[in-house]
Short mmCIF file of all heavy atoms in Angstrom, two decimals:
data_model
loop_
_atom_site.label_atom_id
_atom_site.label_comp_id
_atom_site.label_asym_id
_atom_site.label_seq_id
_atom_site.Cartn_x
_atom_site.Cartn_y
_atom_site.Cartn_z
N ALA A 54 21.12 -0.59 -14.51
CA ALA A 54 22.41 0.07 -14.31
C ALA A 54 23.23 0.13 -15.59
O ALA A 54 23.97 1.10 -15.81
CB ALA A 54 23.20 -0.67 -13.23
N SER A 55 23.09 -0.89 -16.45
CA SER A 55 23.89 -0.92 -17.68
C SER A 55 23.32 -0.05 -18.78
O SER A 55 23.95 0.14 -19.81
CB SER A 55 24.00 -2.36 -18.18
OG SER A 55 22.73 -2.88 -18.52
N THR A 56 22.12 0.48 -18.57
CA THR A 56 21.50 1.31 -19.61
C THR A 56 21.21 2.75 -19.17
O THR A 56 21.39 3.68 -19.94
CB THR A 56 20.17 0.68 -20.08
OG1 THR A 56 19.32 0.45 -18.94
CG2 THR A 56 20.42 -0.64 -20.78
N LYS A 57 20.78 2.92 -17.91
CA LYS A 57 20.33 4.25 -17.52
C LYS A 57 21.47 5.27 -17.48
O LYS A 57 21.26 6.44 -17.80
CB LYS A 57 19.62 4.21 -16.16
CG LYS A 57 20.52 4.00 -14.95
CD LYS A 57 19.73 4.16 -13.66
CE LYS A 57 20.62 4.08 -12.43
NZ LYS A 57 19.90 4.32 -11.18
N GLY A 58 22.68 4.81 -17.12
CA GLY A 58 23.81 5.73 -17.09
C GLY A 58 24.14 6.26 -18.47
O GLY A 58 24.39 7.45 -18.66
N ALA A 59 24.12 5.35 -19.45
CA ALA A 59 24.40 5.76 -20.83
C ALA A 59 23.36 6.73 -21.34
O ALA A 59 23.68 7.75 -21.98
CB ALA A 59 24.47 4.52 -21.73
N VAL A 60 22.09 6.42 -21.07
CA VAL A 60 21.00 7.30 -21.51
C VAL A 60 21.12 8.67 -20.86
O VAL A 60 21.00 9.71 -21.52
CB VAL A 60 19.63 6.67 -21.19
CG1 VAL A 60 18.49 7.65 -21.48
CG2 VAL A 60 19.43 5.38 -21.97
N LEU A 61 21.37 8.69 -19.55
CA LEU A 61 21.49 9.95 -18.83
C LEU A 61 22.66 10.78 -19.35
O LEU A 61 22.50 11.97 -19.65
CB LEU A 61 21.68 9.69 -17.34
CG LEU A 61 21.94 10.94 -16.48
CD1 LEU A 61 20.70 11.81 -16.40
CD2 LEU A 61 22.41 10.56 -15.09
N LEU A 62 23.83 10.16 -19.46
CA LEU A 62 25.02 10.91 -19.87
C LEU A 62 24.85 11.50 -21.27
O LEU A 62 25.19 12.66 -21.51
CB LEU A 62 26.26 10.00 -19.84
CG LEU A 62 26.88 9.75 -18.47
CD1 LEU A 62 28.06 8.81 -18.59
CD2 LEU A 62 27.32 11.07 -17.82
N PHE A 63 24.33 10.70 -22.19
CA PHE A 63 24.16 11.18 -23.56
C PHE A 63 23.15 12.32 -23.63
O PHE A 63 23.45 13.40 -24.16
CB PHE A 63 23.72 10.03 -24.48
CG PHE A 63 23.49 10.46 -25.89
CD1 PHE A 63 24.56 10.63 -26.77
CD2 PHE A 63 22.21 10.72 -26.36
CE1 PHE A 63 24.36 11.03 -28.08
CE2 PHE A 63 21.99 11.12 -27.66
CZ PHE A 63 23.07 11.28 -28.53
N ALA A 64 21.94 12.08 -23.09
CA ALA A 64 20.89 13.08 -23.18
C ALA A 64 21.23 14.35 -22.41
O ALA A 64 21.09 15.47 -22.91
CB ALA A 64 19.57 12.49 -22.68
N ALA A 65 21.68 14.19 -21.15
CA ALA A 65 21.99 15.35 -20.32
C ALA A 65 23.15 16.16 -20.88
O ALA A 65 23.11 17.40 -20.87
CB ALA A 65 22.31 14.90 -18.89
N SER A 66 24.18 15.47 -21.38
CA SER A 66 25.34 16.18 -21.93
C SER A 66 24.97 17.02 -23.14
O SER A 66 25.42 18.16 -23.29
CB SER A 66 26.44 15.17 -22.31
OG SER A 66 26.93 14.52 -21.17
N GLU A 67 24.15 16.45 -24.02
CA GLU A 67 23.74 17.18 -25.22
C GLU A 67 22.89 18.41 -24.86
O GLU A 67 23.08 19.50 -25.40
CB GLU A 67 22.97 16.26 -26.16
CG GLU A 67 23.83 15.24 -26.86
CD GLU A 67 24.94 15.88 -27.68
OE1 GLU A 67 24.64 16.72 -28.55
OE2 GLU A 67 26.12 15.55 -27.44
N ILE A 68 21.94 18.22 -23.95
CA ILE A 68 21.08 19.34 -23.54
C ILE A 68 21.91 20.42 -22.85
O ILE A 68 21.74 21.62 -23.12
CB ILE A 68 19.95 18.83 -22.61
CG1 ILE A 68 19.01 17.90 -23.37
CG2 ILE A 68 19.17 20.02 -22.03
CD1 ILE A 68 18.01 17.18 -22.49
N GLU A 69 22.82 20.00 -21.95
CA GLU A 69 23.67 20.95 -21.24
C GLU A 69 24.58 21.71 -22.21
O GLU A 69 24.75 22.93 -22.10
CB GLU A 69 24.50 20.21 -20.19
CG GLU A 69 25.14 21.10 -19.15
CD GLU A 69 25.78 20.32 -18.02
OE1 GLU A 69 25.87 19.07 -18.10
OE2 GLU A 69 26.22 20.96 -17.04
N LYS A 70 25.15 21.00 -23.18
CA LYS A 70 26.05 21.61 -24.16
C LYS A 70 25.32 22.65 -25.01
O LYS A 70 25.81 23.77 -25.21
CB LYS A 70 26.63 20.52 -25.06
CG LYS A 70 27.56 21.03 -26.16
CD LYS A 70 28.05 19.86 -27.01
CE LYS A 70 28.90 20.35 -28.18
NZ LYS A 70 29.34 19.21 -29.03
N GLY A 86 19.62 19.90 -18.35
CA GLY A 86 20.22 18.65 -18.79
C GLY A 86 19.80 17.48 -17.92
O GLY A 86 19.45 16.40 -18.42
N GLY A 87 19.83 17.69 -16.62
CA GLY A 87 19.42 16.64 -15.69
C GLY A 87 17.96 16.27 -15.83
O GLY A 87 17.60 15.08 -15.79
N GLY A 89 16.01 16.62 -18.54
CA GLY A 89 15.80 15.91 -19.80
C GLY A 89 16.38 14.50 -19.77
O GLY A 89 15.74 13.54 -20.21
N GLY A 90 17.59 14.36 -19.22
CA GLY A 90 18.21 13.05 -19.11
C GLY A 90 17.43 12.12 -18.21
O GLY A 90 17.29 10.92 -18.50
N GLY A 91 16.90 12.65 -17.11
CA GLY A 91 16.12 11.83 -16.18
C GLY A 91 14.84 11.30 -16.80
O GLY A 91 14.46 10.14 -16.60
N CYS A 93 14.33 10.81 -20.05
CA CYS A 93 14.73 9.79 -21.03
C CYS A 93 15.04 8.47 -20.35
O CYS A 93 14.66 7.40 -20.84
CB CYS A 93 15.96 10.28 -21.81
SG CYS A 93 15.63 11.65 -22.95
N GLN A 94 15.73 8.52 -19.21
CA GLN A 94 16.03 7.31 -18.44
C GLN A 94 14.76 6.53 -18.10
O GLN A 94 14.68 5.33 -18.30
CB GLN A 94 16.67 7.69 -17.10
CG GLN A 94 18.15 7.87 -17.08
CD GLN A 94 18.60 8.07 -15.64
OE1 GLN A 94 17.88 8.61 -14.81
NE2 GLN A 94 19.81 7.61 -15.35
N TRP A 156 17.59 14.27 -11.20
CA TRP A 156 18.79 14.67 -11.92
C TRP A 156 18.80 16.15 -12.27
O TRP A 156 19.86 16.76 -12.38
CB TRP A 156 18.98 13.79 -13.16
CG TRP A 156 19.44 12.44 -12.75
CD1 TRP A 156 18.74 11.27 -12.76
CD2 TRP A 156 20.72 12.12 -12.17
NE1 TRP A 156 19.49 10.24 -12.25
CE2 TRP A 156 20.72 10.73 -11.88
CE3 TRP A 156 21.87 12.86 -11.89
CZ2 TRP A 156 21.82 10.09 -11.32
CZ3 TRP A 156 22.96 12.21 -11.33
CH2 TRP A 156 22.92 10.84 -11.05
N MET A 160 22.15 17.80 -10.78
CA MET A 160 23.06 18.50 -11.68
C MET A 160 22.99 20.01 -11.48
O MET A 160 24.02 20.70 -11.50
CB MET A 160 22.74 18.13 -13.13
CG MET A 160 23.11 16.70 -13.47
SD MET A 160 22.96 16.37 -15.25
CE MET A 160 23.72 14.74 -15.32
N ARG A 164 26.21 22.09 -10.20
CA ARG A 164 26.81 23.16 -11.00
C ARG A 164 26.79 24.49 -10.25
O ARG A 164 27.74 25.29 -10.33
CB ARG A 164 26.07 23.30 -12.33
CG ARG A 164 26.12 22.09 -13.25
CD ARG A 164 27.52 21.62 -13.54
NE ARG A 164 27.53 20.53 -14.51
CZ ARG A 164 28.49 19.64 -14.63
NH1 ARG A 164 29.54 19.68 -13.82
NH2 ARG A 164 28.42 18.69 -15.54
N GLN A 258 25.60 8.65 -6.26
CA GLN A 258 25.24 8.70 -7.68
C GLN A 258 25.65 10.01 -8.33
O GLN A 258 26.08 10.03 -9.49
CB GLN A 258 23.73 8.48 -7.85
CG GLN A 258 23.29 7.06 -7.56
CD GLN A 258 21.83 6.84 -7.88
OE1 GLN A 258 21.00 7.76 -7.80
NE2 GLN A 258 21.46 5.61 -8.22
N THR A 259 25.53 11.11 -7.60
CA THR A 259 25.89 12.40 -8.17
C THR A 259 27.40 12.53 -8.35
O THR A 259 27.87 13.07 -9.35
CB THR A 259 25.36 13.56 -7.29
OG1 THR A 259 23.97 13.34 -7.02
CG2 THR A 259 25.51 14.90 -7.99
N VAL A 260 28.16 12.03 -7.40
CA VAL A 260 29.62 12.03 -7.56
C VAL A 260 30.01 11.23 -8.80
O VAL A 260 30.85 11.67 -9.60
CB VAL A 260 30.31 11.44 -6.30
CG1 VAL A 260 31.79 11.18 -6.57
CG2 VAL A 260 30.16 12.40 -5.12
N CYS A 261 29.38 10.08 -8.99
CA CYS A 261 29.70 9.23 -10.16
C CYS A 261 29.25 9.85 -11.46
O CYS A 261 30.01 9.89 -12.44
CB CYS A 261 29.05 7.86 -9.99
SG CYS A 261 29.81 6.83 -8.72
N MET A 262 28.00 10.35 -11.50
CA MET A 262 27.39 10.75 -12.76
C MET A 262 27.60 12.23 -13.10
O MET A 262 27.23 12.66 -14.20
CB MET A 262 25.89 10.44 -12.73
CG MET A 262 25.58 8.97 -12.53
SD MET A 262 26.32 7.92 -13.80
CE MET A 262 25.35 8.37 -15.21
N VAL A 263 28.16 13.00 -12.18
CA VAL A 263 28.46 14.41 -12.49
C VAL A 263 29.98 14.63 -12.45
O VAL A 263 30.59 14.95 -13.47
CB VAL A 263 27.74 15.37 -11.52
CG1 VAL A 263 28.11 16.81 -11.83
CG2 VAL A 263 26.22 15.20 -11.63
N SER A 264 30.59 14.44 -11.29
CA SER A 264 32.03 14.70 -11.17
C SER A 264 32.87 13.74 -12.02
O SER A 264 33.64 14.16 -12.88
CB SER A 264 32.46 14.58 -9.71
OG SER A 264 31.88 15.60 -8.93
N PHE A 265 32.69 12.44 -11.80
CA PHE A 265 33.47 11.46 -12.56
C PHE A 265 33.12 11.51 -14.04
O PHE A 265 33.98 11.34 -14.91
CB PHE A 265 33.25 10.05 -12.02
CG PHE A 265 33.82 9.83 -10.64
CD1 PHE A 265 33.56 8.66 -9.94
CD2 PHE A 265 34.62 10.79 -10.02
CE1 PHE A 265 34.08 8.44 -8.67
CE2 PHE A 265 35.15 10.59 -8.75
CZ PHE A 265 34.88 9.42 -8.07
N ALA A 266 31.84 11.75 -14.34
CA ALA A 266 31.41 11.82 -15.74
C ALA A 266 32.06 12.98 -16.47
O ALA A 266 32.34 12.88 -17.67
CB ALA A 266 29.89 11.93 -15.81
N ASP A 267 32.31 14.08 -15.77
CA ASP A 267 32.99 15.22 -16.40
C ASP A 267 34.39 14.82 -16.87
O ASP A 267 34.84 15.25 -17.94
CB ASP A 267 33.09 16.39 -15.41
CG ASP A 267 31.77 17.14 -15.26
OD1 ASP A 267 30.86 16.91 -16.07
OD2 ASP A 267 31.66 17.96 -14.31
N TYR A 268 35.08 14.01 -16.07
CA TYR A 268 36.42 13.55 -16.46
C TYR A 268 36.34 12.61 -17.66
O TYR A 268 37.19 12.65 -18.56
CB TYR A 268 37.11 12.86 -15.28
CG TYR A 268 37.54 13.82 -14.20
CD1 TYR A 268 36.88 13.87 -12.98
CD2 TYR A 268 38.62 14.69 -14.41
CE1 TYR A 268 37.28 14.76 -11.98
CE2 TYR A 268 39.02 15.57 -13.42
CZ TYR A 268 38.35 15.61 -12.21
OH TYR A 268 38.74 16.50 -11.24
N VAL A 269 35.31 11.76 -17.67
CA VAL A 269 35.13 10.84 -18.80
C VAL A 269 34.85 11.62 -20.08
O VAL A 269 35.44 11.34 -21.14
CB VAL A 269 33.98 9.84 -18.52
CG1 VAL A 269 33.68 9.00 -19.75
CG2 VAL A 269 34.34 8.94 -17.34
N LYS A 270 33.97 12.62 -19.99
CA LYS A 270 33.65 13.42 -21.17
C LYS A 270 34.85 14.20 -21.66
O LYS A 270 35.08 14.33 -22.88
CB LYS A 270 32.49 14.38 -20.84
CG LYS A 270 31.14 13.70 -20.71
CD LYS A 270 30.00 14.67 -20.51
CE LYS A 270 29.97 15.24 -19.12
NZ LYS A 270 28.78 16.07 -18.87
N ALA A 271 35.66 14.73 -20.74
CA ALA A 271 36.88 15.45 -21.13
C ALA A 271 37.85 14.52 -21.83
O ALA A 271 38.50 14.91 -22.83
CB ALA A 271 37.53 16.06 -19.89
N VAL A 273 37.06 11.74 -23.53
CA VAL A 273 36.48 11.40 -24.84
C VAL A 273 36.69 12.54 -25.83
O VAL A 273 37.01 12.33 -27.01
CB VAL A 273 34.98 11.06 -24.70
CG1 VAL A 273 34.32 10.95 -26.08
CG2 VAL A 273 34.80 9.76 -23.92
#
Side-chain angles (χ1 to χ4, degrees):
S55 63
T56 54
K57 73 173 185 176
V60 173
L61 175 70
L62 281 178
F63 178 80
S66 295
E67 288 302 305
I68 294 171
E69 195 172 8
K70 179 181 175 181
C93 290
Q94 273 187 329
W156 286 108
M160 290 189 171
R164 298 305 185 204
Q258 289 186 330
T259 310
V260 169
C261 289
M262 300 302 290
V263 178
S264 294
F265 292 172
D267 283 348
Y268 288 108
V269 173
K270 287 185 285 186
V273 170

